[in-house]
Amino acid sequence: MISQLRLLDFVIASIIGNIIAHPLSNPHLSLKGSLGTTIVLVIMYLGGVFIMLKWPWFRKLINHRPITIVQNGEILYKGLKKARIFIDV
């Protein structure tokens, strides 16, 4: 499942997990600050996703184009090289 996430989704999930974990591991920290930070981060993330859906040029800026590895039943070795997948021929 993690390999199918976009880089942005993985980074946001990691950051939110780290923000929530700090007050749970330290009894001197309050949960209010972490929840506020998490809410702001989620709103910014959703805004970014909305912008990516509305403006294709912004999506192209954030997400790279997919790499074609197989086309018409033929293996594209140039695509394998670009994806850094090495096979013995």
Side-chain angles (χ1 to χ4, degrees):
M1 290 289 287
I2 291 177
S3 66
Q4 295 178 357
L5 289 176
R6 292 178 298 171
L7 178 63
L8 182 63
D9 298 334
F10 179 72
V11 168
I12 292 294
S14 298
I15 290 173
I16 288 174
N18 193 14
I19 290 171
I20 295 297
H22 276 286
L24 296 176
S25 63
N26 189 348
H28 300 294
L29 295 175
S30 70
L31 196 57
K32 284 193 293 185
S34 292
L35 286 178
T37 306
T38 302
I39 289 170
V40 169
L41 188 63
V42 167
I43 289 171
M44 288 174 56
Y45 171 72
L46 291 175
V49 169
F50 180 74
I51 290 172
M52 282 194 289
L53 290 173
K54 284 298 239 184
W55 295 316
W57 64 268
F58 187 73
R59 183 177 346 145
K60 290 178 186 174
L61 182 70
I62 301 298
N63 295 332
H64 62 82
R65 293 183 56 203
I67 300 169
T68 305
I69 296 176
V70 177
Q71 187 174 24
N72 297 329
E74 298 289 324
I75 297 174
L76 300 177
Y77 292 100
K78 189 175 182 181
L80 288 174
K81 185 176 180 182
K82 189 183 277 187
R84 296 184 180 142
I85 300 173
F86 302 103
I87 59 172
D88 295 327
V89 180

